[in-house]
Amino acid sequence: MGKVLMKGNEVIAESAVHAGCKYFFGYPITPQSELVAYMARRLPEVGGLFLQAESEIAAINMVYGASSTGARVMTSSSSPGFSLKQEGISYLVGSELPAVICNIVRGGPGLGNIQPAQSDYFQVTKGGGHGDYHIPVLAPASLQEIVELIQDAFDIADRYRNPVIIMGDGMLGQMMEPVEFTERPVSELPEKNWAATGTRGDGGPKIITSLELDADGLEKRNQHLQKKFAEMKEKEVRYETYKTEDADYIIVAFGTVARIAMNAMNKARQDGVKVGLIRPISLWPFPEKPFIETRDKVNMYISVEMSAGQMVEDVRLAVNGHAPVDFFGRNGGVVPTQEEIYHKIMMIAGGIQV
Amino acid sequence: MTMKTVFQKTKGLTDKPTHYCPGCTHGVIHRLVGEVLEEMDILEDTIGVASVGCSVLSYEYFNCDMTQAAHGRAPAVATGVKRVRPDRFVFTYQGDGDLASIGISEIIHAAARGEKITVIFVNNAIYGMTGGQMAPTTLIGQKTATTPFGRNENIQGSPIRVSEMLSTLDGTAYIERVSTHDVPNILKAKKAIRKAFETQKKGLGFSMVEVLSTCPTNWGLDPQESLEWVRENMVPVYPLGVYKNKEGGN
């Protein structure tokens, strides 16, 4: 199959279909509505089912039900709607149910606006719902990368029996780029013998629940979950580095912002400032290795975000006091420009404090 | 001499002793559902959805595959299960706080979509698990932990009649309100539950049986008084009968 020109939200949907997702429960919200509409049209073609829920709350709980039967299932939303899904997401983790949830982030807080933002970083990486839990979060920077990461997301979800979040911003959802849907070999995944599909021929009843009234029992269950999170931290870290080998300054940015930052980086290099870039692809687990490898060599890290400064906290933890960490961001739906980032780099390189 | 078995526990329930209070009719309603599933020979093809409240642990008592939903969300969870496995029987078991308060949106839309699920709606006019607070179904004048002076229509509004409300929706195929306050009514309740699962089997649409039930602990009455209270106070507000029967007949 050759390259096709598609919109980001549609690429997410088509990638999910390629990953074997047959069930989608969603609710319309800008700027991810094309994803829902695409699924409504596409899933019947592959013998699947799209259902428009009465709310994001109902949608995530339909996902819970579908996942209970072992189906590959997905939902998507944008910030205010994503907040409504938090209860269900906590239950998915507690009941160990796999699912893929997409958040095309828009400006907040509250109703905010419909422009691109990354201000849900805390919510997706630190756990937006109640209880001790983590969710792998993948942040693609291009439409081609979506194709890869959606497949990964479903595989990670099934492997660990845990939901996985795809975080994009409104820009990623709305932009058009040529993509190629490459066929990947099917991953080896554990059998879903836990699924509630009726007991005929499989012995005793199977129970899916997050309830454990006994404190010692719930602590044990939590220890089991923590063991899974530890394994994810070991095996599911994804990132890319650009020109960090000789860098005096390193920009840290994810998603579409990383692409803007890369242009600023290249321009600064033309002007003689050695700038590199670390692009976390998994926002959780956060990639610590590229920081450990560079933190004793660089003058400063600059976290560039479409927020008031959220990932910068994880950058500081990873750098752990070995080097200064600065921040540049625009928020409320304002996209930082290449010139602004370049200006920030040149001021820092010139020793100008602002 | 060989002994003849004249009665035994339904295969529809596990051997686990329930946690329900003495005199509470959850146990009776569980048994009715279990018996219907066994008699229709669909136990192995059924997935139940437990809700939040006193019946939260129902997944330990029903002898079939079970999944446990967040507070009020059981109809949405059941929708997810049924849409993936239309070949299976799916039921929810929900109390009045769960279904009529926090989950009123989910139940209305599941009914409106005509989800081919069966809802067992247990109405005892109070929140049991959390210690006897007002439910949407609490009667006018009824004293609860959060209506210490009795439910006042001008302050807390009036009880919601769920069966009547849902029966106005085209997606509903069978809705009946029954009671557990005496043996004839318990037998009628079983018949209604059977009818609801038959409705699901025929794929006619959404089915629900609202079962009037007791809460001796939070009503502050003994079990016998509680049954009387249902008959005297609840039945006049929540009239028994069939509210929707798309198919007709009995």
Side-chain angles (χ1 to χ4, degrees):
Chain A
M1 191 178 166
K3 288 201 171 188
V4 283
L5 187 67
M6 285 176 85
K7 206 170 190 178
N9 282 327
E10 295 175 343
V11 175
I12 293 170
E14 186 57 35
S15 304
V17 172
H18 275 257
C21 170
K22 286 209 170 144
Y23 301 93
F24 186 98
F25 301 92
Y27 187 82
I29 182 170
T30 312
Q32 62 87 56
S33 294
E34 297 88 352
L35 207 170
V36 179
Y38 191 92
M39 282 304 204
R41 193 171 64 238
R42 183 75 170 102
L43 280 175
E45 290 176 2
V46 293
L49 176 122
F50 164 85
L51 191 63
Q52 180 168 330
E54 64 269 28
S55 68
E56 281 94 348
I57 296 170
I60 192 72
N61 283 286
M62 289 172 185
V63 166
Y64 182 104
S67 182
S68 291
T69 70
R72 273 203 161 176
V73 58
M74 182 180 183
T75 185
S76 69
S77 195
S78 179
S79 308
F82 187 74
S83 288
L84 284 172
K85 292 188 192 290
Q86 297 307 321
E87 174 199 45
I89 293 173
S90 172
Y91 274 73
L92 286 169
V93 177
S95 299
E96 295 194 78
L97 291 173
V100 172
I101 304 146
C102 184
N103 183 6
I104 300 298
V105 183
R106 59 187 245 184
L111 198 51
N113 60 22
I114 58 168
Q115 319 302 332
Q118 295 180 324
S119 45
D120 294 355
Y121 180 93
F122 283 153
Q123 190 183 34
V124 295
T125 59
K126 310 297 177 190
H130 57 283
D132 262 335
Y133 74 84
H134 283 290
I135 293 180
V137 182
L138 303 176
S142 70
L143 302 204
Q144 189 60 50
E145 195 174 33
I146 288 172
V147 178
E148 288 297 315
L149 291 184
I150 294 277
Q151 175 78 48
D152 285 352
F154 278 103
D155 288 353
I156 293 169
D158 281 348
R159 187 168 298 123
Y160 297 95
R161 289 183 60 182
N162 202 73
V164 174
I165 292 171
I166 297 285
M167 177 166 165
D169 54 66
M171 203 161 26
L172 192 79
Q174 297 297 321
M175 67 165 66
M176 289 185 89
E177 281 181 339
V179 288
E180 186 171 8
F181 292 95
T182 46
E183 296 301 331
R184 288 200 345 190
V186 181
S187 312
E188 263 189 48
L189 294 165
E191 202 190 328
K192 292 183 174 177
N193 52 13
W194 46 265
T197 53
T199 57
R200 197 167 288 280
D202 73 0
K206 300 172 288 298
I207 294 170
I208 290 165
T209 181
S210 59
L211 180 71
E212 177 56 71
L213 291 171
D214 174 60
D216 289 329
L218 186 56
E219 189 181 43
K220 267 205 193 91
R221 195 186 270 246
N222 266 287
Q223 284 163 350
H224 164 69
L225 293 179
Q226 290 301 324
K227 218 176 127 190
K228 290 200 300 184
F229 301 141
E231 195 185 336
M232 293 174 201
K233 274 178 111 163
E234 197 186 310
K235 296 179 181 166
E236 305 302 339
V237 175
R238 288 162 170 75
Y239 63 91
E240 274 187 1
T241 59
Y242 307 90
K243 301 180 183 172
T244 52
E245 298 76 19
D246 65 341
D248 293 324
Y249 303 93
I250 290 181
I251 296 173
V252 190
F254 68 95
T256 52
V257 179
R259 295 170 67 170
I260 303 167
M262 199 171 325
N263 290 338
M265 174 190 88
N266 287 329
K267 186 161 189 296
R269 276 198 172 252
Q270 281 169 13
D271 294 342
V273 182
K274 287 179 184 165
V275 184
L277 188 135
I278 295 172
R279 180 171 74 89
I281 297 170
S282 60
L283 304 183
W284 194 93
F286 190 76
E288 291 176 358
K289 197 166 160 249
F291 294 93
I292 293 167
E293 286 169 353
T294 55
R295 66 192 186 189
D296 292 316
K297 294 185 280 191
V298 302
N299 296 337
M300 192 180 281
Y301 294 89
I302 311 154
S303 187
V304 180
E305 306 172 47
M306 281 197 286
S307 74
Q310 300 194 8
M311 180 177 69
V312 64
E313 295 189 5
D314 284 333
V315 173
R316 286 204 187 96
L317 285 171
V319 173
N320 203 15
H322 288 247
V325 176
D326 206 335
F327 167 76
F328 178 76
R330 298 298 304 266
N331 60 54
V334 179
V335 179
T337 64
Q338 178 187 323
E339 290 70 31
E340 285 175 319
I341 301 168
Y342 168 79
H343 186 64
K344 176 77 179 178
I345 295 166
M346 298 313 278
M347 279 206 299
I348 287 173
I352 299 164
Q353 298 278 324
V354 277
Chain B
M1 189 178 108
T2 51
M3 302 262 267
K4 195 178 160 208
T5 304
V6 290
F7 177 79
Q8 58 185 354
K9 185 180 75 62
T10 170
K11 289 193 184 85
L13 298 178
T14 64
D15 290 333
K16 179 118 182 159
T18 72
H19 68 287
Y20 298 119
C21 299
C24 165
T25 46
H26 261 312
V28 173
I29 303 164
H30 276 35
R31 183 179 141 191
L32 298 182
V33 174
E35 284 177 355
V36 166
L37 295 179
E38 184 189 4
E39 286 163 19
M40 287 177 71
D41 193 24
I42 57 172
L43 255 180
E44 292 181 307
D45 304 312
T46 296
I47 300 140
V49 183
S51 60
V52 172
C54 287
S55 60
V56 65
L57 289 170
S58 65
Y59 58 74
E60 293 193 342
Y61 311 141
F62 289 116
N63 195 20
C64 58
D65 274 4
M66 295 290 294
T67 183
Q68 200 277 317
H71 202 17
R73 318 298 178 217
V77 171
T79 297
V81 174
K82 185 73 181 187
R83 292 295 184 126
V84 177
R85 297 304 302 254
D87 57 327
R88 295 293 193 259
F89 290 86
V90 179
F91 76 94
T92 72
Y93 189 102
Q94 304 174 257
D96 46 319
D98 186 90
L99 181 142
S101 191
I102 196 166
I104 195 74
S105 166
E106 283 76 10
I107 194 69
I108 289 174
H109 285 278
R113 285 191 302 267
E115 294 297 339
K116 296 169 186 67
I117 60 171
T118 297
V119 173
I120 308 297
F121 168 38
V122 180
N123 177 3
N124 63 0
I126 204 160
Y127 279 77
M129 180 64 98
T130 45
Q133 294 82 9
M134 182 190 73
T137 45
T138 292
L139 306 183
I140 298 295
Q142 188 182 340
K143 286 184 180 170
T144 70
T146 50
T147 53
F149 313 109
R151 181 172 186 169
N152 180 332
E153 194 176 359
N154 292 317
I155 299 173
Q156 292 97 6
S158 310
I160 296 179
R161 294 185 183 87
V162 176
S163 289
E164 287 86 334
M165 187 169 74
L166 295 187
S167 64
T168 65
L169 299 169
D170 293 343
T172 57
Y174 191 78
I175 294 180
E176 182 171 354
R177 183 183 291 124
V178 295
S179 181
T180 50
H181 67 269
D182 58 22
V183 173
N185 276 289
I186 289 172
L187 294 176
K188 267 192 195 166
K190 183 173 173 183
K191 230 176 126 189
I193 292 168
R194 170 98 190 202
K195 178 83 178 167
F197 278 100
E198 298 280 2
T199 299
Q200 182 174 168
K201 191 176 187 178
K202 290 173 189 159
L204 298 174
F206 178 89
S207 56
M208 183 182 84
V209 180
E210 176 176 350
V211 190
L212 301 187
S213 176
T214 59
C215 187
T217 302
N218 290 301
W219 290 354
L221 301 173
D222 72 26
Q224 187 57 43
E225 289 168 346
S226 296
L227 296 173
E228 282 300 309
W229 198 85
V230 171
R231 189 175 58 80
E232 281 174 21
N233 299 291
M234 287 188 73
V235 172
V237 179
Y238 299 110
L240 307 181
V242 177
Y243 285 89
K244 189 73 168 276
N245 189 358
K246 222 176 212 175
E247 192 189 22
N250 280 309

